[in-house]
Amino acid sequence: MKSLAELAAIRDKMKNKVAIRDSETGTRIVVGMATCGIAAGARPVLAQFVEEVANAGLSDAITVTQTGCIGICQYEPVVEVYEAGKDKVTYVKMDVDKAKRVFAEHIQGGRIVTEYTMDNK
Amino acid sequence: MKELSLNILDVTENSVSAGAKNIEVSLIEDEKGLLTLTIGDNGCGMTPEVVKSVIDPFYTTRTTRKVGLGVPLLKMAAEQTGGSIDIKSEVGVGTTVTATFDTKSIDFTPIGDMVSTMTTLIMGAPDRDFEYIHRKPGAEVTLSTLQLREVLGDVSLGEPEIIAWIKDYLTEQYNNFGGTN
Ligand SMILES: Nc1ncnc2c1ncn2[C@@H]1O[C@H](COP(=O)(O)OP(=O)(O)O)[C@@H](O)[C@H]1O
Ligand SMILES: [Mg+2]
């Protein structure tokens, strides 16, 4: 059974690790979570990115955040990737499998998955 | 929406956008199969005109702006089971959205994954406090971020490690809940 004591232990471990989250050099993955995004399946896409970042142990370098309506409801779920010094990449009509591929190939491998990008539609 | 939990995520996001510091989400099922959903906040509130336009997007006045479909979708989900929706709101005080559902209706949308809904909300707004309760006869699931915050001190609720703990904490409670509708 999960206990608050266990939560306290996690807290202590985290306090010891110095936060070196750098918003200048870090990567930001932004998932549209307005009504249109949620209805189209954004919640599991967001959860997948969060899980990938955690599994890869990259939570200091990569943040996953939520935003409202990006204005292209017909393309939801929409995911934007911001990397320092690079143009924003907008992925459209995302799902869990596409999120896995974008994480492996783009976020970790540095190769944009053009099949899923906005300009390709 | 495919799951009621998605409507709940969407409508509760409105409370976050309204600047609420405290947000309550409650799901109470009675022995007759009546489900009452309450989403309460102490955000900026709405004027009666805005409340009307939020419930019915085709009701517009000069003063109301473009509104979304979040609340109308929840209303539809409630009404198609024979239930209803009600919004009480006061500017500067807050808003309470209450919706009722007949879970025995064939048009009842399953509640679905409330664990994901709550973790998504907390991740998106780790500086707010959420009180969550899901109760049915003989079982309940609860979460109070205020209580967790007391343990966490200045460690954010939004840290991936903390979110993972909250997810397990809720999942464990739901394992003893005996399934949801
Ligand atoms: N809990 C709330 N507190 C204050 N204002 C709200 C609340 N819920 C809804 N509103 C108002 O109603 C509008 C419409 O809500 P909604 O239909 O969900 O569309 P959206 O969130 O896309 O704007 C919001 O933009 C906001 O102005
Ligand atoms: Mg909304």
Side-chain angles (χ1 to χ4, degrees):
Chain A
M1 197 64 196
K2 294 272 149 208
S3 67
L4 292 180
E6 191 188 3
L7 185 65
I10 297 173
R11 171 205 62 201
D12 292 339
K13 230 190 292 164
M14 296 185 54
K15 271 191 173 164
N16 295 334
K17 143 185 131 183
V18 229
I20 37 157
R21 196 163 293 146
D22 192 341
S23 50
E24 294 284 297
T25 59
T27 296
R28 227 157 31 95
I29 302 171
V30 180
V31 183
M33 293 291 293
T35 305
C36 45
I38 293 170
R43 188 182 65 183
V45 169
L46 174 82
Q48 190 60 41
F49 278 115
V50 170
E51 195 182 313
E52 298 284 346
V53 171
N55 289 347
L58 291 171
S59 56
D60 285 331
I62 302 170
T63 55
V64 183
T65 58
Q66 305 171 32
T67 188
C69 187
I70 297 170
I72 42 172
C73 306
Q74 68 274 33
Y75 293 117
E76 294 284 355
V78 174
V79 174
E80 296 175 330
V81 177
Y82 294 85
E83 292 170 293
K86 293 186 190 166
D87 286 340
K88 172 182 85 177
V89 177
T90 303
Y91 288 108
V92 300
K93 298 191 174 174
M94 290 294 284
D95 60 29
V96 166
D97 289 329
K98 290 178 182 176
K100 285 182 190 164
R101 211 179 132 193
V102 165
F103 190 82
E105 294 183 22
H106 179 174
I107 308 295
Q108 293 197 288
R111 297 179 308 278
I112 296 171
V113 188
T114 49
E115 267 171 72
Y116 306 154
T117 58
M118 185 69 210
D119 346 294
N120 205 41
K121 294 287 171 308
Chain B
M1 301 239 187
K2 284 198 211 77
E3 301 176 6
L4 209 53
S5 70
L6 294 173
N7 294 98
I8 296 171
L9 171 60
D10 184 33
V11 173
T12 309
E13 295 281 11
N14 291 342
S15 297
V16 173
S17 304
K21 181 75 192 78
N22 297 87
I23 300 166
E24 174 212 339
V25 177
S26 94
L27 283 166
I28 310 291
E29 300 174 55
D30 73 9
E31 42 300 297
K32 295 201 191 82
L34 176 79
L35 171 69
T36 304
L37 162 69
T38 308
I39 300 167
D41 71 59
N42 58 357
C44 63
M46 291 174 273
T47 63
E49 287 288 285
V50 173
V51 171
K52 266 190 217 144
S53 69
V54 167
I55 295 178
D56 177 4
F58 301 108
Y59 170 96
T60 45
T61 67
R62 226 162 19 88
T63 51
T64 52
R65 51 195 194 83
K66 172 197 158 283
V67 291
L69 288 174
V71 172
L73 286 172
L74 178 64
K75 181 178 183 233
M76 214 170 72
E79 288 181 348
Q80 73 192 10
T81 72
S84 63
I85 191 168
D86 177 56
I87 300 184
K88 297 233 177 324
S89 191
E90 200 179 322
V91 173
V93 179
T95 303
T96 301
V97 178
T98 309
T100 56
F101 304 82
D102 178 358
T103 61
K104 297 217 164 68
S105 160
I106 51 158
D107 293 316
F108 176 68
T109 312
I111 293 173
D113 187 357
M114 279 306 295
V115 176
S116 291
T117 282
M118 292 314 298
T119 52
T120 303
L121 284 165
I122 296 166
M123 240 189 309
D127 56 333
R128 318 302 173 82
D129 276 308
F130 294 89
E131 289 289 330
Y132 176 61
I133 180 158
H134 186 170
R135 182 186 298 142
K136 68 178 185 185
E140 72 173 18
V141 171
T142 62
L143 178 78
S144 160
T145 59
L146 210 60
Q147 188 192 20
L148 304 187
R149 211 181 287 283
E150 274 171 27
V151 175
L152 290 174
D154 48 18
V155 170
S156 168
L157 279 165
E159 293 292 343
E161 293 89 337
I162 306 301
I163 294 293
W165 183 89
I166 293 173
K167 182 180 171 191
D168 291 347
Y169 180 69
L170 286 172
T171 302
E172 252 182 24
Q173 292 187 58
Y174 269 114
N175 289 343
N176 298 326
F177 191 79
T180 60
N181 277 295

